[in-house]
Amino acid sequence: MTNNDLMDDLFPEPTITPKEYKVYHLFTSDLGRECLRTMMDELFWEEPSEEFFTEAHFAFYDGRRSVLRGFKATIDKVEAHIAKQNLKKEDE
């Protein structure tokens, strides 16, 4: 079974895009979870020295954080969709 077949089975409705599925699939594997956790820990605990913390640096750090928040939001969206589908199947 290919990823496209799996995606069609899991998400017959077009509520989850192929890109969202790929992000979910990547970051919910064991290695992907570990990498995401490491990136988040490094980024959120990283403290640049005040002398170098200019507006440009703030925008750079905020942009990096925004990317990680986007990954997390995508994972949450797909997991919510899967939970919704599981509830539908239980009700049938």
Side-chain angles (χ1 to χ4, degrees):
M1 180 178 272
T2 67
N3 276 345
N4 287 339
D5 293 336
L6 182 59
M7 189 173 156
D8 290 342
D9 289 346
L10 286 173
F11 313 112
E13 305 159 22
T15 56
I16 303 298
T17 66
K19 180 182 173 185
E20 290 170 328
Y21 175 73
K22 288 175 186 175
V23 167
Y24 172 79
H25 192 65
L26 175 65
F27 287 114
T28 56
S29 69
D30 290 337
L31 180 59
R33 268 192 206 64
E34 182 181 335
C35 289
L36 184 59
R37 190 176 310 116
T38 299
M39 287 188 298
M40 291 173 77
D41 286 346
E42 288 174 354
L43 183 62
F44 284 100
W45 290 109
E46 184 179 351
E47 298 243 359
S49 62
E50 288 185 29
E51 63 194 49
F52 296 113
F53 203 69
T54 63
E55 293 169 358
H57 280 97
F58 176 77
F60 174 74
Y61 281 95
D62 193 48
R64 288 175 58 196
R65 290 177 179 157
S66 179
V67 168
L68 295 178
R69 284 191 298 263
F71 290 155
K72 178 72 170 104
T74 299
I75 292 166
D76 292 345
K77 177 183 177 181
V78 174
E79 287 178 345
H81 186 74
I82 290 170
K84 182 179 172 183
Q85 280 190 321
N86 288 338
L87 284 175
K88 280 183 185 178
K89 287 179 183 177
E90 288 176 9
D91 290 341
E92 291 175 351

